[in-house]
Amino acid sequence: MQIYNTLTRSKQEFIPLNAPHVGLYVCGPTVYGDAHLGHARPAITFDLLYRYLTHLGYKVRYVRNITDVGHLEHDADEGEDKIAKKARLEQLEPMEVVQYYTNRYQHDMEALNVLPPSIEPHASGHIIEQIAFVQKILDAGYAYVSEGSVYFDVEKYAKDYHYGKLSGRNIDELYAETRELDGQQEKRHSYDFALWKKASPEHIMHWPSPWSEGFPGWHLECSTMSTKYLGEQFDIHGGGMDLMFPHHEAEIAQSCAALGHDTVRYWMHNNMITIAGKKMGKSYGNFITLEQFFTGKHPLLTKPFSPMTIRFFILMAHYRSTVDFSSEALEAAEKGLERLTETYARLQKLIPAKDSTVDVHGLRERCEEAMADDLNSPIVISHLFDSARAVNTVFDGKGTISQEDLEELKAVWQLFVVGILGLRISDTGGVESGLDAYKGAVDMLLEMRLEAKRLKDWTTSDRIRNRLTELGFTVKDTKDGFEWSL
Ligand code: ZN
């Protein structure tokens, strides 16, 4: 299998260090808000990789972390920890906030049929290991203590190692890029990043360390937890392209500084998602959470889209291409998925004949070849659509298929559609849409209640509301109608 290694900027044959074992580390979510499309893409990309490696016979240890402390703005070493802020404002224990968003994230991943990783470590559960890692970097001479915080000495490191080898940036560019921020006076250079931060008095998440009561820098957790669970050298490290700098560059520097060598053999990055051609962000007004996609409750969406439509849409593009989301594009993906589902159902109903008049040879090999070429899921999908023609010809009585060919065709569809692409399809046809069905039913009840209210039929209106409340739904009246959650 060939994969594109971001570090060497080339496709390389994948040779595991310790076959049949494969170590895979992927940067997971920061749990201070609901998961959105930006979370869905890496999760689905590396789920595809995980499923495919497993199919090839590897025993994959897949580690995907939960960032729950010390996460500051991507380009800043300062600012209040977002979990701490929410906890303070809502008088919650910080771990309550963490658990709440972790549960929601896992629920969304389950809906997208993303398999759970083998290990899902929390940064907050690895403070001791992170302190030890900082100490190693200090001992090696690539960090310094300043007013209770510890910073990575980028200039010193860059003399001995290649800083910027992943992102292709050089130190002069970093000078120009670094914004002036609080705490800069503590650092030798503006581009030095924090390994340990002394907590300010209002900061509620902090731990004792040899340097201060404080918390670890964001980049540190991945260096620490990847090597803890996968060893000082492991096979694949993945994440979104937006993490390449500074996060992954810093990870490489920390690991080289502490251990004297690179830990990762293949770096893989999925490309980004845009919405109607624009970058996704709260300030653009196009920030759509997965929950909003599933319920259709966002002004940019024409209707709800099932988790399987989202998954299929993401897989229709190669992971290194950008993907542009729009309601129209999703509707097209939905139609494509319906066709695939219909063909799958027809395939189950075909009756074999003595001979085949349709040609289904080579489908398995073509799909394998596409997957082995840097996970080319769109090509796999196009091969499956090609074979759909043979299924429909037989289904319409215009051709025949032998027992042997039919069994092979069914096996290939089962393997690629269900096993590797991970599309949840039931053999009666129809993407499993239990979630959609119950959402549709609740919406319908609440529309009936709205109608009852309009007719001043308070008994019916209250009955619907009370029954839904008893069942665990929260119903809120809004000026345009209603909102509900479970
Ligand atoms: Zn990471």
Side-chain angles (χ1 to χ4, degrees):
M1 146 193 209
Q2 298 246 317
I3 52 178
Y4 184 87
N5 189 345
T6 320
L7 193 61
T8 59
R9 292 167 183 77
S10 63
K11 269 191 209 172
Q12 290 177 337
E13 189 60 30
F14 175 63
I15 304 162
L17 255 180
N18 197 12
H21 300 278
V22 169
L24 168 64
Y25 186 90
V26 175
C27 292
T30 302
V31 283
Y32 62 73
D34 277 338
H36 51 79
L37 278 179
H39 290 102
R41 194 163 193 203
I44 290 169
T45 298
F46 293 102
D47 185 55
L48 180 70
L49 175 66
Y50 182 33
R51 286 167 182 267
Y52 182 56
L53 288 170
T54 307
H55 158 67
L56 292 180
Y58 293 119
K59 295 185 190 319
V60 186
R61 185 180 296 164
Y62 178 13
V63 183
R64 190 183 66 206
N65 67 308
I66 298 277
T67 296
D68 59 353
V69 289
H71 181 83
L72 308 167
E73 297 297 338
H74 279 206
D75 54 354
D77 286 331
E78 289 293 327
E80 191 177 8
D81 183 305
K82 289 184 176 156
I83 291 171
K85 188 174 178 186
K86 188 173 167 76
R88 187 171 51 76
L89 292 176
E90 299 184 16
Q91 296 202 322
L92 297 168
E93 157 63 34
M95 283 313 277
E96 274 185 281
V97 182
V98 167
Q99 191 66 57
Y100 174 78
Y101 285 118
T102 303
N103 292 348
R104 287 176 72 88
Y105 175 78
Q106 286 165 341
H107 178 265
D108 285 344
M109 292 304 114
E110 153 84 36
L112 292 169
N113 207 20
V114 166
L115 299 172
S118 332
I119 306 177
E120 200 165 31
H122 284 236
S124 63
H126 296 75
I127 301 295
I128 293 168
E129 290 89 340
Q130 293 185 75
I131 290 172
F133 211 96
V134 174
Q135 192 58 56
K136 273 191 191 166
I137 300 173
L138 275 169
D139 292 347
Y142 296 106
Y144 55 91
V145 182
S146 177
E147 314 207 7
S149 293
V150 185
Y151 292 100
F152 192 87
D153 189 341
V154 171
E155 196 160 273
K156 170 89 193 296
Y157 176 81
K159 287 201 177 92
D160 300 334
Y161 295 93
H162 181 180
Y163 186 74
K165 66 178 174 183
L166 182 69
S167 59
R169 294 180 198 219
N170 61 42
I171 241 178
D172 299 331
E173 285 174 276
L174 296 182
Y175 257 127
E177 262 179 40
T178 322
R179 287 189 295 155
E180 282 305 315
L181 299 155
D182 280 352
Q184 293 291 30
Q185 61 281 4
E186 291 179 4
K187 302 188 200 174
R188 289 187 191 156
H189 294 288
S190 58
Y191 46 64
D192 290 349
F193 55 88
L195 298 171
W196 186 266
K197 280 294 286 180
K198 181 182 173 177
S200 49
E202 63 276 12
H203 207 106
I204 53 176
M205 291 181 92
H206 49 80
W207 292 265
S209 80
W211 317 288
S212 63
E213 275 281 323
F215 53 92
W218 169 42
H219 313 311
L220 191 66
E221 65 182 78
C222 290
S223 284
T224 306
M225 298 192 290
S226 63
T227 50
K228 169 166 174 146
Y229 295 111
L230 299 174
E232 289 193 359
Q233 261 215 311
F234 61 93
D235 297 301
I236 305 173
H237 191 314
M241 222 157 81
D242 54 333
L243 296 180
M244 216 148 83
F245 189 88
H247 185 53
H248 292 159
E249 200 72 76
E251 256 190 79
I252 292 177
Q254 290 166 159
S255 298
C256 286
L259 308 166
H261 59 80
D262 265 324
T263 55
V264 177
R265 300 178 71 234
Y266 303 86
W267 280 93
M268 289 177 77
H269 290 94
N270 64 272
N271 212 322
M272 305 317 292
I273 279 168
T274 53
I275 295 189
K278 279 199 214 114
K279 223 179 121 177
M280 186 174 47
K282 288 221 164 75
S283 53
Y284 297 98
N286 64 2
F287 192 86
I288 313 176
T289 67
L290 290 174
E291 191 60 32
Q292 288 168 326
F293 274 105
F294 302 161
T295 56
K297 292 207 160 77
H298 190 282
L300 289 176
L301 298 172
T302 49
K303 60 192 275 303
F305 291 100
S306 76
M308 278 311 103
T309 301
I310 304 277
R311 183 173 179 111
F312 187 63
F313 183 68
I314 287 177
L315 292 171
M316 276 168 66
H318 186 255
Y319 76 91
R320 285 192 289 118
S321 325
T322 51
V323 162
D324 190 48
F325 262 85
S326 64
S327 245
E328 297 72 50
L330 274 174
E331 279 174 37
E334 191 172 53
K335 288 209 178 77
L337 183 59
E338 270 165 22
R339 269 207 297 145
L340 202 71
T341 309
E342 190 182 51
T343 307
Y344 183 89
R346 286 180 169 186
L347 181 57
Q348 312 310 315
K349 291 180 201 140
L350 295 188
I351 296 157
K354 199 162 154 290
D355 298 302
S356 294
T357 59
V358 292
D359 184 10
V360 298
H361 287 107
L363 177 65
R364 182 187 291 269
E365 291 74 14
R366 285 194 292 277
C367 290
E368 290 280 5
E369 210 176 286
M371 279 306 294
D373 181 15
D374 196 27
L375 311 180
N376 206 331
S377 56
I379 300 290
V380 173
I381 293 170
S382 76
H383 289 325
L384 290 167
F385 275 125
D386 282 346
S387 73
R389 246 177 276 139
V391 174
N392 291 326
T393 304
V394 179
F395 188 81
D396 294 339
K398 292 175 183 144
T400 59
I401 191 164
S402 70
Q403 177 84 35
E404 195 188 343
D405 283 353
L406 180 59
E407 272 167 23
E408 169 66 2
L409 195 57
K410 278 185 179 173
V412 173
W413 271 64
Q414 190 65 29
L415 171 63
F416 284 92
V417 177
V418 180
I420 293 175
L421 297 177
L423 296 168
R424 229 180 238 143
I425 289 181
S426 65
D427 56 9
T428 50
V431 174
E432 278 180 19
S433 53
L435 203 64
D436 280 354
Y438 104 74
K439 278 175 177 147
V442 175
D443 280 344
M444 189 186 80
L445 276 170
L446 287 171
E447 271 150 28
M448 284 166 70
R449 176 170 168 264
L450 221 54
E451 184 59 28
K453 276 169 70 181
R454 224 172 281 133
L455 299 170
K456 300 199 170 12
D457 177 0
W458 309 116
T459 320
T460 307
S461 143
D462 287 349
R463 213 173 112 204
I464 294 173
R465 188 197 181 105
N466 293 345
R467 186 69 187 123
L468 284 171
T469 309
E470 273 168 37
L471 291 168
F473 292 91
T474 309
V475 178
K476 213 167 81 192
D477 293 312
T478 63
K479 73 173 182 351
D480 314 319
F482 53 81
E483 263 176 23
W484 63 268
S485 58
L486 185 58

